[in-house]
């Protein structure tokens, strides 16, 4: 098995409302790898995830994003999604008036369409989604309800992971997927992510806590500060962070 570059970010500079938020950021991720991104509130982690997913509000003023060999710097979020990028939001949105089952099937079929494969009718789709719902220990009633409407914090996060698994994304960006989860939900979600990950895919986990990374072992841990990655190491830095806080990074790189 040869590893392949999945994501390569070169010298990225991003601004919103004329304020630069990401500065000269470089990041390279190969297939089979799990990368954790940590850093204080406001250091730019969610912005980076949204920019990789193609959020239209953020303006790339310099640099390049290469995904799976293609320059995606100026691609729409839909194209990126079809090519295999998935973002699980820190704050999943509610979509009133759209049932979760319809939403998931529409997303699934849009991708099948893009790949010139057959769409699934609602009944065949139910077979697939019911297996996945069972694996992630969600109530099947979550399919009939409107997307995320009235879902608990844990159910919203599970619904994001359900989408990731359904779309079989090649690069999954999970933004604080562990926040607000009870310990059982954290375990189930971690198991689902571990079963999902393989040598052809990559995952970026944005998190504040070692807890998640005890279940899903990252190959690399990046620390962001003021819109840049200021340190990259392995899992051991997470333990140091828990002990000493972000001050540890400042003192170890100076
Ligand atoms: P993190 O996820 O690391 O907590 P964010 O990426 O959410 O950080 O935010 C990084 C910085 O960019 C913060 O100072 C935040 O206020 C600013 N920022 C992010 N999105 C916007 C926006 N839509 N408008 C104005 N400022 C923003
Ligand atoms: Mg954030």
């Amino acid at each position: 098995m040869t590893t392949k570059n999945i994501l390569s970010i070169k010298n990225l500079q991003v601004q919103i409302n004329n304020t630069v938020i990401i500065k000269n950021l470089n990041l390279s991720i190969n297939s089979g790898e799990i990368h954790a991104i940590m850093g204080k509130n406001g250091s730019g982690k969610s912005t980076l995830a949204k920019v990789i997913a193609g959020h239209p509000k953020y303006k790339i003023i310099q640099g390049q994003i290469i995904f799976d060999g293609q320059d995606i710097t100026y691609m729409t979020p839909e194209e990126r999604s079809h090519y295999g990028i998935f973002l699980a939001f820190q704050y999943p949105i509610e979509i009133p008036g759209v049932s979760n089952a319809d939403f998931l099937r529409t997303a699934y079929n849009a991708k099948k369409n893009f790949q010139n494969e057959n769409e699934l009718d609602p009944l065949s789709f139910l077979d697939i989604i019911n297996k996945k719902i069972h694996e992630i220990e969600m109530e099947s009633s979550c399919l009939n309800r409107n997307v995320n409407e009235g879902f608990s914090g844990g159910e919203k996060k599970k619904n994001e992971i359900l989408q990731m698994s359904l779309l079989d994304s090649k690069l999954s960006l999970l933004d604080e997927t562990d926040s607000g989860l009870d310990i059982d939900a954290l375990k189930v979600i971690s198991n689902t992510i571990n079963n999902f990950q393989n040598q052809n895919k990559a995952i970026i986990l944005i998190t504040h806590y070692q807890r998640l990374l005890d279940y899903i072992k990252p190959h690399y841990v990046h620390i962001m500060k003021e819109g840049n990655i200021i340190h990259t190491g392995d899992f051991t830095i997470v333990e140091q962070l828990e002990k000493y806080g972000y001050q540890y990074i400042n003192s170890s790189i100076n």
Side-chain angles (χ1 to χ4, degrees), residues 45-46 90 175-176:
K45 304 180 298 296
S46 293
Q90 182 172 359
D175 193 355
E176 296 197 26

Side-chain angles (χ1 to χ4, degrees), residues 16-17 21 39-48 57-58 90:
I16 186 156
N17 306 331
I21 295 181
K40 286 186 179 173
N41 294 326
S43 55
K45 304 180 298 296
S46 293
T47 302
L48 177 62
K57 247 172 136 183
Y58 300 89
Q90 182 172 359

Side-chain angles (χ1 to χ4, degrees), residues 110-211:
K111 185 158 185 183
K112 289 287 162 204
N113 235 322
F114 181 80
Q115 293 168 332
N116 284 321
E117 290 175 27
N118 287 338
E119 293 190 1
L120 281 187
D121 61 84
L123 280 181
S124 322
F125 179 73
L126 268 185
D127 282 344
I128 295 183
I129 201 70
N130 274 327
K131 280 196 197 103
K132 292 192 181 291
I133 283 245
H134 184 74
E135 185 192 10
I136 201 160
E137 295 181 13
M138 271 172 95
E139 297 288 333
S140 47
S141 63
C142 287
L143 285 177
N144 306 324
R145 289 159 61 187
N146 292 335
V147 181
N148 288 329
E149 211 175 49
F151 283 26
S152 71
E155 285 168 340
K156 283 183 182 172
K157 298 294 172 120
K158 283 186 174 182
N159 210 31
E160 297 287 295
I161 297 303
L162 186 66
Q163 286 170 49
M164 172 191 85
S165 157
L166 183 68
L167 296 176
D168 199 24
S169 49
K170 203 170 237 174
L171 173 67
S172 304
L173 307 151
L174 309 182
D175 193 355
E176 296 197 26
T177 297
D178 53 335
S179 67
L181 292 182
D182 65 50
I183 203 72
D184 288 346
L186 180 71
K187 275 188 198 164
V188 169
I189 280 190
S190 301
N191 275 339
T192 306
I193 295 170
N194 282 328
N195 290 337
F196 172 77
Q197 171 62 358
N198 65 30
Q199 287 307 311
N200 302 314
K201 299 173 183 162
I203 295 180
I204 297 179
L205 299 171
I206 295 174
T207 184
H208 286 295
Y209 307 106
Q210 182 181 339
R211 218 174 51 149

Side-chain angles (χ1 to χ4, degrees), residues 16-75:
I16 186 156
N17 306 331
N18 293 323
T19 310
V20 175
I21 295 181
I22 303 285
K23 291 167 210 154
N24 306 320
L25 186 139
N26 293 287
L27 177 64
S28 180
I29 297 182
N30 291 328
S31 56
E33 292 178 353
I34 297 176
H35 290 235
I37 298 183
M38 304 183 83
K40 286 186 179 173
N41 294 326
S43 55
K45 304 180 298 296
S46 293
T47 302
L48 177 62
K50 286 189 236 175
V51 167
I52 295 170
H55 196 300
K57 247 172 136 183
Y58 300 89
K59 201 169 148 206
I60 296 178
I61 49 176
Q62 187 187 293
Q64 224 184 0
I65 306 177
I66 311 287
F67 169 68
D68 211 13
Q70 277 196 95
D71 188 336
I72 61 157
T73 317
Y74 300 105
M75 263 188 200

